[in-house]
């Protein structure tokens, strides 16, 4: 298995020595909320309200050499170029204590040219010896999206047992603005958590709830840059985006520079 957002010059199978990931710590893991929109990263907003920011993990480099050796006891789960999303601690469901089987999320090239799929696989069943085939016909390996954001795979990840992922991007290849989805192991289908102009969401590590920011806009009169704060509980049914809680005044023309707002 491998995790990075820059393409390698080779591809190899997605293998699970995933026991360490699925048994590893609980807690929140890495937060994705505001990763692109904190005071230290914002370069400025355009008239449309879209913020241009440098990509995260800009120091990440990838060698073009051979893939690392597969460890003893590992098993091939998905052949080809399959890449774990997240940062390791949130690549798999991690609620503590566990409430269901552990699932891990990965991306691989879609059958649609230039797009990428997002899949989740039941690692508990895989490690128990069950044969799992990720072909769209196996309940233990589900394709959630055929247009997942591939510019930074660390953006996607589990908060507890809730997977947050970013898809249907309307921004450029490195800056996401689009629909943010959630999925849990007990759900039949994923749920859109935001409108089509979502920016970031974070799931609670134990409760079935999320908080999101979306709909950036610059007021044409005041030049104030504002965001919608949305959030709520996640029930068993797909009942649309979570409701708006408030409007955030993110910046005004006379704000001091180089400060963290949230």
């Amino acid at each position: 298995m491998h995790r990075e957002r820059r393409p390698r010059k080779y591809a190899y199978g997605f293998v699970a020595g995933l026991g360490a990931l699925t048994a590893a710590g609980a807690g929140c893991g890495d937060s994705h909320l505001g990763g692109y929109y904190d005071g230290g990263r914002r370069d400025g907003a355009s008239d449309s309200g879209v913020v241009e920011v440098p990509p995260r993990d800009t120091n990440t480099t990838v060698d073009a050499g051979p893939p690392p050796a597969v460890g003893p006891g590992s098993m091939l789960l998905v052949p080809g170029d399959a890449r774990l999303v997240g940062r390791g601690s949130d690549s798999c469901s991690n609620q503590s204590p566990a409430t269901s089987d552990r699932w891990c999320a990965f991306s691989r090239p879609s059958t649609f040219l230039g797009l990428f799929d997002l899949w989740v696989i039941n690692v508990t069943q895989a490690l128990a010896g069950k044969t799992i085939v990720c072909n769209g016909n196996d309940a233990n390996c589900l394709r959630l999206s055929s247009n997942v954001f591939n510019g930074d795979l660390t953006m996607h990840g589990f908060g507890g047992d809730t997977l947050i992922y970013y898809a249907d991007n309307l921004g450029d290849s490195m800056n996401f603005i689009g629909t943010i989805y959630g999925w849990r192991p007990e759900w039949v289908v994923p749920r859109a958590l935001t409108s089509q102009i979502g920016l970031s969401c974070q799931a609670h590590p134990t409760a079935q709830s999320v908080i999101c920011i979306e709909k950036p806009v610059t007021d044409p009169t005041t030049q104030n840059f504002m965001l919608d704060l949305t959030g709520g509980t996640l029930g068993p049914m797909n009942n649309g985006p979570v409701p708006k809680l408030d409007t955030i005044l993110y910046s005004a023309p006379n704000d001091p520079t180089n400060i963290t707002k949230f």
Side-chain angles (χ1 to χ4, degrees):
M1 63 184 174
H2 54 285
R3 299 182 298 273
E4 81 290 309
R5 57 183 174 82
R6 300 183 187 278
R8 291 181 184 260
K9 294 183 179 178
Y10 53 80
Y12 59 99
F14 176 77
V15 294
L18 289 177
L21 286 179
T22 57
C28 294
D30 298 298
S31 168
H32 303 295
L33 182 63
Y36 287 120
Y37 291 88
D38 60 39
R41 295 184 188 274
R42 184 175 185 273
D43 288 341
S46 69
D47 292 339
S48 64
V50 177
V51 179
E52 297 296 336
V53 293
R56 292 184 290 180
D57 301 321
T58 53
N59 292 324
T60 300
T61 58
V62 178
D63 294 332
V70 176
S74 295
M75 65 185 74
L76 177 66
L77 294 183
V78 182
D81 187 3
R83 306 176 185 220
L84 279 173
V85 305
R87 298 183 176 90
S89 61
D90 60 352
S91 300
C92 304
S93 57
N94 51 72
Q95 185 165 324
S96 181
T99 60
S100 67
D101 288 353
R102 297 300 196 188
W103 291 71
C104 296
F106 65 94
S107 171
R108 64 176 175 177
S110 173
T111 54
F112 297 99
L113 185 63
L115 301 182
F116 291 85
D117 291 342
L118 180 74
W119 295 75
V120 286
I121 187 168
N122 189 329
V123 178
T124 299
Q125 295 299 313
L127 294 177
K130 186 176 182 62
T131 300
I132 298 175
V133 181
C134 294
N135 61 1
N137 297 313
D138 192 325
N140 286 304
C141 190
L142 306 174
R143 177 167 47 201
L144 301 182
S145 174
S146 290
N147 191 19
V148 72
F149 180 63
N150 200 59
D152 183 356
L153 292 181
T154 67
M155 288 179 62
H156 320 285
F158 283 89
D161 284 348
T162 303
L163 173 64
I164 301 293
Y165 69 93
Y166 301 72
D168 309 325
N169 184 32
L170 301 177
D172 61 36
S173 61
M174 295 307 299
N175 293 287
F176 177 86
I177 180 168
T179 306
I180 305 173
Y181 294 85
W183 177 83
R184 293 178 57 85
E186 68 269 21
W187 291 1
V188 177
V189 295
R191 172 181 174 178
L193 303 176
T194 69
S195 68
Q196 293 179 325
I197 43 179
L199 301 178
S200 185
C201 287
Q202 181 179 0
H204 194 278
T206 56
Q208 294 188 35
S209 60
V210 296
I211 191 168
C212 303
I213 52 175
E214 58 177 304
K215 297 182 179 178
V217 63
T218 299
D219 186 282
T221 302
T222 64
Q223 294 302 302
N224 291 340
F225 179 65
M226 295 173 290
L227 304 163
D228 279 359
L229 176 68
T230 63
T233 57
L234 302 174
M237 300 297 293
N238 184 352
N239 53 359
V242 292
K244 179 179 176 179
L245 303 176
D246 213 334
T247 298
I248 296 173
L249 172 60
Y250 185 85
S251 66
N254 295 325
D255 283 350
T257 59
N258 299 322
I259 61 171
T260 299
K261 301 293 181 60
F262 301 99

